[in-house]
Amino acid sequence: ASHETRQTLMYLLDAKVRRRMCKKVLEMGGNAVLGYYQNFDMEGDSGLVARTYGTCVLIEKKEIVDIASSDQRMIKGEASGDDEHALVSNNTPRQDMAPSTG
């Protein structure tokens, strides 16, 4: 019974620290954790201690401009001159990566 009690305690402690990590990520404005790591330690009179580590990030969906196919149309002379079909320069920095926070 002692082993089962320990297993149950670790299961509950695991869930508690994961929930705490999720709350912290939301407080920081993130929606995901990269490099999540969790460990359990025995520390003297404190008993069993759980620790979690990770990097809070904000993942956003961004529109990706296909520069390669636009350049091919321009070379072949298929692109029109109106503003709706204006092409993005190859020197324009891409903005499709979400910034990390924290």
Side-chain angles (χ1 to χ4, degrees), residues 85-102:
H85 297 91
L87 300 177
V88 177
S89 165
N90 280 336
N91 296 328
T92 304
R94 291 186 58 172
Q95 299 295 319
D96 60 340
M97 298 299 290
S100 66
T101 59

Side-chain angles (χ1 to χ4, degrees), residues 39-81:
N39 66 359
F40 295 94
D41 291 320
M42 295 296 293
E43 292 190 356
D45 296 336
S46 301
L48 187 62
V49 177
R51 292 184 176 89
T52 59
Y53 307 89
T55 302
C56 173
V57 296
L58 177 63
I59 299 176
E60 296 177 327
K61 185 175 181 178
K62 297 284 186 175
E63 183 179 338
I64 298 175
V65 177
D66 188 358
I67 296 172
S69 65
S70 296
D71 288 346
Q72 289 299 320
R73 283 198 312 266
M74 185 65 143
I75 291 170
K76 293 178 183 175
E78 297 173 6
S80 67

Side-chain angles (χ1 to χ4, degrees), residues 16-58:
K16 184 176 180 179
V17 295
R18 277 188 288 127
R19 279 192 305 273
R20 189 176 291 174
M21 173 71 84
C22 291
K23 286 180 183 180
K24 185 68 175 175
V25 167
L26 293 174
E27 288 172 7
M28 294 175 69
N31 61 6
V33 177
L34 296 181
Y36 180 81
Y37 175 74
Q38 180 182 61
N39 66 359
F40 295 94
D41 291 320
M42 295 296 293
E43 292 190 356
D45 296 336
S46 301
L48 187 62
V49 177
R51 292 184 176 89
T52 59
Y53 307 89
T55 302
C56 173
V57 296
L58 177 63

